[in-house]
């Protein structure tokens, strides 16, 4: 055994580590308590500054100590007007803290505070620090936030920052932060020149296509691509005025407003009334003439106005060119989910009705290749099918909305159905009628047979509703039907095939709950 190094056992090593940790902890706790004691006594001296530095060097995420340190520094600068001119140690100390934790909230915040107090801050040095930190972790959002602050204060040109993101994206296409930063810089580059903006965006298409052709499965470039193609804005395109039981309602595509009591004292409806609706830059006037209980004014609706909410701002020629490019990639990557989803969105922007068949086929493929998000794709497909049905209804200028047997899993765009009197949602996969359903103040007939509806939360206070057909759903208790009690004109209710129909004494209880119903089917 002589001449051999004795190897410590695992138990011995762990015990030594434990003792070392306890020793460090005692030192740390003693320094912390000393700091707290000094602060409570109102002491802001060099010793307190050193204590905070000792503690923050090992734990830079102690927010209370950063606050105390700032109090000390502000006290010291009152005694020495040249304090910040001669004191560069604070920035060096902060760099050491960032080496311990590059994502320390307290360290980055304190550095910004110090830089703002320096009489002549070296912004080039701060940008260089950001460059070094981002080279180690290009998604360090603390550093990105600090860099944006430095850029704003120091007046770094937009094109220079754009070149910075070029460099980062060139070294790593999967850089979410750089793509996002570009989306904030591009609108600033040519704010007053549409032609220059178009030229700039065309070069962006080439950049982002290089990214997703290089790695089609990386989602960062695809998200930026969707932003690049544009964002539309919704506008108020309908005002509907309805009089019932005294009060007036002014309805738009998003709001229902009860006019305050006493606003209008025309119980007998003997006067012409006009509702003026102002929303941002949109103005609408709707007249309710003598003897009428409802009126509306509405713009002619097209797919561009109503539903091109994502890719609506680009020119059709650009969208068509992009669709061809993504289709080429799809031929190489037929099961790539990002490619399929982007094709769907481009088709929706170009011609939602003309591409309906291809869109449904792509959704089916998406559900197969990305089964974990199948429910999301079903909801998105439902949204698009509803949009198409509304467009067809608009072109026909009817007040009946029928979308049965389309595998709908959700309802949306109810704000576009304010004037509808008859809705047919039968044979879908709906589980509920959302609260927004209460906007449908003109609704008279609701057909929702053969779904999976469990309650009627949204069917509330519909003054014209007369008929509700809910055969073969999953309504199980009378409480689920309670909202119908607020519909005063309800005459017919079909609950056949629902669990509630098997409840003892259900008929007598329903008569008590819904006294206006004269045709009850169980």
């Amino acid at each position: 055994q002589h001449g051999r190094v004795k190897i410590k056992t695992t138990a011995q090593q762990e015990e030594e580590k434990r003792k070392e940790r306890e020793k460090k902890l005692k030192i740390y706790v003693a320094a912390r308590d000393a700091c707290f004691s000094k602060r409570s006594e109102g002491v802001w001296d060099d010793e307190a500054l050193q204590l905070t530095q000792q503690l923050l060097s090992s734990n830079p995420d102690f927010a209370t100590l950063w606050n105390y340190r700032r109090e000390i520094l502000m006290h010291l600068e009152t005694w020495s007007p040249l304090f910040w001119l001669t004191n560069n140690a604070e920035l060096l100390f902060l760099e050491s803290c960032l080496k311990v934790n590059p994502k320390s909230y307290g360290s980055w915040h304190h550095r910004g505070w110090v830089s703002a107090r320096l009489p002549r801050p070296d912004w080039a040095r701060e940008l260089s620090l950001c460059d070094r930190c981002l080279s180690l972790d290009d998604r360090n959002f603390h550093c990105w936030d600090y860099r944006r602050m430095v850029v704003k204060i120091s007046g770094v040109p937009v094109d220079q920052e754009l070149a910075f993101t070029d460099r980062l994206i060139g070294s790593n296409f999967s850089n979410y932060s750089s793509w996002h930063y570009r989306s904030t810089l591009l609108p600033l580059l040519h704010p007053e020149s549409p032609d220059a903006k178009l030229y700039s965006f065309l070069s962006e298409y080439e950049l982002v296509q290089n990214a997703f052709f290089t790695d089609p499965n990386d989602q960062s470039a695809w998200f930026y691509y969707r932003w690049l193609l544009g964002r539309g804005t919704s506008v108020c395109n309908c005002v509907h005025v309805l009089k019932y039981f005294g009060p007036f309602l002014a309805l738009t595509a998003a709001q229902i407003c009860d006019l305050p009591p006493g606003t209008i004292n025309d119980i007998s409806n003997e006067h012409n009334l006009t509702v003026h609706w102002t929303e941002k830059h949109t103005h609408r006037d709707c007249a309710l003439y003598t003897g009428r209980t409802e009126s509306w004014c509405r713009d002619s609706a097209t797919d561009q106005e109503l539903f091109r909410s994502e890719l609506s701002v680009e020119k059709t020629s650009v969208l068509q060119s992009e669709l061809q490019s993504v289709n080429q990639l799809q031929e190489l990557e037929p099961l790539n989910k990002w490619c399929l989803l982007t094709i769907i969105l481009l088709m929706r922007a170009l011609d939602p009705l003309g591409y309906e068949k291809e869109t449904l086929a792509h959704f089916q493929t998406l559900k197969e290749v990305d089964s974990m998000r199948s429910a999301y794709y079903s909801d998105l497909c439902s949204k698009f099918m509803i949009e198409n049905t509304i467009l067809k209804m608009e072109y026909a200028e009817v007040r009946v909305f029928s979308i049965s047997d389309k595998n709908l899993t959700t309802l949306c765009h109810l704000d576009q159905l304010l004037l509808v009197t008859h809705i047919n949602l039968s044979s879908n996969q709906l589980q509920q009628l959302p609260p927004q359903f209460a906007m449908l103040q003109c609704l008279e007939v609701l057909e929702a047979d053969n779904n999976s509806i469990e309650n009627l939360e949204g069917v509330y206070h519909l003054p014209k509703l007369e008929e509700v057909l809910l055969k073969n759903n999953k309504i199980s208790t009378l409480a689920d039907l309670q909202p119908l009690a607020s519909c005063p004109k309800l005459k017919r209710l079909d609950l056949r095939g629902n669990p509630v129909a098997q409840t003892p004494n259900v008929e007598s209880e329903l008569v008590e709950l819904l006294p206006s119903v004269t045709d009850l089917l169980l």
Side-chain angles (χ1 to χ4, degrees):
Q1 300 296 327
H2 295 287
R4 293 188 179 184
V5 177
K6 182 178 180 181
I7 300 176
K8 296 180 180 179
T9 65
T10 302
Q12 289 175 314
Q13 292 174 337
E14 288 298 322
E15 180 62 19
E16 289 182 2
K17 289 180 181 179
R18 186 187 65 79
K19 291 181 178 179
E20 183 65 23
R21 284 195 300 267
E22 286 185 355
K23 180 180 178 181
K24 290 181 179 179
L25 181 61
K26 287 180 180 179
I27 296 173
Y28 182 87
V29 170
R32 181 203 63 189
D33 292 344
C35 269
F36 286 174
S37 177
K38 281 181 172 290
R39 193 185 191 195
S40 65
E41 295 170 3
V43 177
W44 301 291
D45 56 11
D46 286 330
E47 182 184 357
L49 194 67
Q50 292 302 316
L51 282 172
T52 59
Q53 181 167 334
Q54 174 187 338
L55 292 165
L56 291 168
S57 294
S58 58
N59 178 17
D61 294 303
F62 205 145
T64 302
L65 293 182
W66 284 117
N67 291 335
Y68 183 34
R69 188 171 181 84
R70 282 188 285 274
E71 292 171 4
I72 298 169
L73 291 172
M74 286 189 291
H75 177 76
L76 292 176
E77 76 177 350
T78 60
W79 289 96
S80 176
L82 301 179
F83 176 76
W84 292 111
L85 285 175
T86 58
N87 190 349
N88 198 40
E90 192 71 8
L91 293 178
L92 293 174
F93 163 61
L94 282 163
E95 288 185 26
S96 67
C97 290
L98 290 172
K99 290 178 181 178
V100 175
N101 181 9
K103 295 183 178 181
S104 166
Y105 284 92
S107 299
W108 286 109
H109 175 71
H110 190 71
R111 192 172 186 91
W113 180 84
V114 171
S115 296
R117 300 183 82 83
L118 294 175
R120 290 188 295 273
D122 187 351
W123 296 121
R125 170 182 174 174
E126 299 307 296
L127 289 174
S128 176
L129 171 67
C130 292
D131 288 351
R132 295 199 307 274
C133 290
L134 291 175
S135 67
L136 298 173
D137 181 2
D138 54 21
R139 298 185 184 183
N140 185 337
F141 69 88
H142 307 270
C143 183
W144 278 107
D145 287 343
Y146 184 73
R147 182 186 181 89
R148 281 189 284 269
M149 183 272 290
V150 171
V151 166
K152 182 178 180 180
I153 295 176
S154 61
V156 176
V158 174
D159 56 350
Q160 182 176 321
E161 282 300 279
L162 206 60
F164 169 71
T165 63
D166 278 336
R167 189 170 74 251
L168 291 186
I169 291 172
S171 61
N172 178 16
F173 278 136
S174 183
N175 191 326
Y176 283 86
S177 301
S178 293
W179 289 114
H180 170 70
Y181 195 25
R182 287 185 79 82
S183 72
T184 65
L185 295 172
L186 277 177
L188 303 176
L189 197 58
H190 305 291
E192 304 295 336
S193 175
D195 292 336
K197 182 178 178 180
L198 177 60
Y199 176 80
S200 174
F201 274 37
L202 289 175
S203 64
E204 287 296 299
Y205 289 133
E206 183 178 353
L207 173 66
V208 75
Q209 283 179 17
N210 287 338
F212 61 63
F213 267 86
T214 301
D215 186 0
N217 292 311
D218 184 80
Q219 57 187 334
S220 55
W222 288 108
F223 280 129
Y224 180 72
Y225 186 55
R226 284 172 64 173
W227 171 83
L228 196 62
L229 288 167
R231 293 282 179 196
T233 57
S234 60
V235 296
C236 166
N237 67 346
C238 175
V239 173
H240 174 236
V241 180
L242 172 66
K243 180 180 182 181
Y244 68 97
F245 304 128
F248 283 80
L249 290 172
L251 291 84
T252 71
Q255 296 167 309
I256 300 177
C257 298
D258 283 293
L259 300 185
T263 302
I264 300 174
N265 296 314
D266 184 27
I267 305 301
S268 58
N269 198 14
E270 296 178 352
H271 299 87
N272 295 335
L273 302 171
T274 302
V275 172
H276 303 279
W277 188 277
T278 301
E279 180 182 357
K280 295 182 179 179
H281 303 295
T282 304
H283 303 277
R284 297 284 184 274
D285 293 332
C286 187
L288 183 67
Y289 295 107
T290 302
R292 296 188 60 180
T293 58
E294 69 171 340
S295 179
W296 63 85
C297 62
R298 181 165 197 155
D299 292 347
S300 60
T302 67
D303 49 345
Q304 293 106 323
E305 293 169 349
L306 289 181
F307 302 126
R308 291 190 182 182
S309 58
E310 275 204 49
L311 314 183
S312 58
V313 301
E314 270 301 359
K315 295 181 177 180
T316 299
S317 59
V318 173
L319 294 174
Q320 191 66 56
S321 174
E322 294 307 306
L323 179 58
Q324 292 174 2
S325 297
V326 182
N327 274 329
Q328 291 175 4
L329 178 58
Q330 202 255 337
E331 292 176 3
L332 301 173
E333 300 280 342
L335 301 181
N336 183 277
K337 64 178 182 180
W338 299 107
C339 189
L340 289 166
L341 183 57
T342 303
I343 289 174
I344 289 173
L345 296 175
L346 285 166
M347 286 180 171
R348 296 290 306 167
L350 284 164
D351 187 355
L353 297 178
Y355 283 113
E356 182 175 304
K357 184 177 180 180
E358 292 92 331
T359 297
L360 292 175
H362 285 317
F363 266 121
Q364 187 58 41
T365 306
L366 268 175
K367 294 177 188 179
E368 294 171 359
V369 301
D370 191 15
S371 57
M372 288 183 63
R373 295 168 184 82
S374 178
Y376 165 73
Y377 297 130
S378 294
D379 285 352
L380 188 60
C381 185
S382 298
K383 173 178 178 287
F384 290 159
M385 291 303 297
I386 290 172
E387 291 176 358
N388 285 2
T389 304
I390 291 175
L391 289 175
K392 295 172 186 176
M393 183 183 71
E394 292 291 339
Y395 295 141
E397 296 184 355
V398 296
R399 298 179 70 177
V400 176
F401 180 74
S402 180
I403 188 168
S404 60
D405 199 20
K406 299 293 184 181
N407 295 316
L408 296 187
T409 56
T410 187
L411 289 177
C412 59
H413 295 308
L414 294 175
D415 54 316
Q416 299 295 337
L417 304 177
L418 297 179
L419 307 181
V420 165
T421 60
H422 188 138
I423 289 183
N424 184 359
L425 304 170
S426 300
S427 301
N428 285 297
Q429 300 175 26
L430 298 173
Q431 297 182 2
Q432 63 175 348
L433 300 176
Q436 294 84 353
F437 214 83
M439 288 192 295
L440 308 183
Q441 297 285 293
C442 297
L443 188 63
E444 298 174 4
V445 178
L446 168 61
E447 294 184 58
D449 295 335
N450 302 310
N451 279 280
S452 299
I453 297 172
E454 298 177 351
N455 63 72
L456 300 179
E457 178 186 4
V459 188
Y460 178 77
H461 214 290
L462 300 180
K464 295 189 174 185
L465 186 63
E466 298 180 3
E467 188 172 341
V468 176
L469 308 180
L470 296 168
K471 185 169 60 177
N472 299 327
N473 278 280
K474 295 185 178 180
I475 297 172
S476 56
T477 68
L478 286 173
D480 298 329
L481 298 169
Q482 182 65 42
L484 292 178
S486 63
C487 303
K489 291 189 176 182
L490 186 62
K491 296 291 188 295
R492 187 167 188 242
L493 177 61
D494 188 348
L495 294 173
R496 289 176 293 178
N498 284 272
V500 70
Q502 307 302 319
T503 305
N505 304 318
V506 63
E507 186 171 358
S508 59
E509 293 183 15
L510 278 173
V511 169
E512 183 179 352
L513 176 65
L514 307 171
S516 64
V517 174
T518 57
D519 187 3
L520 179 61
L521 300 177
L522 296 172

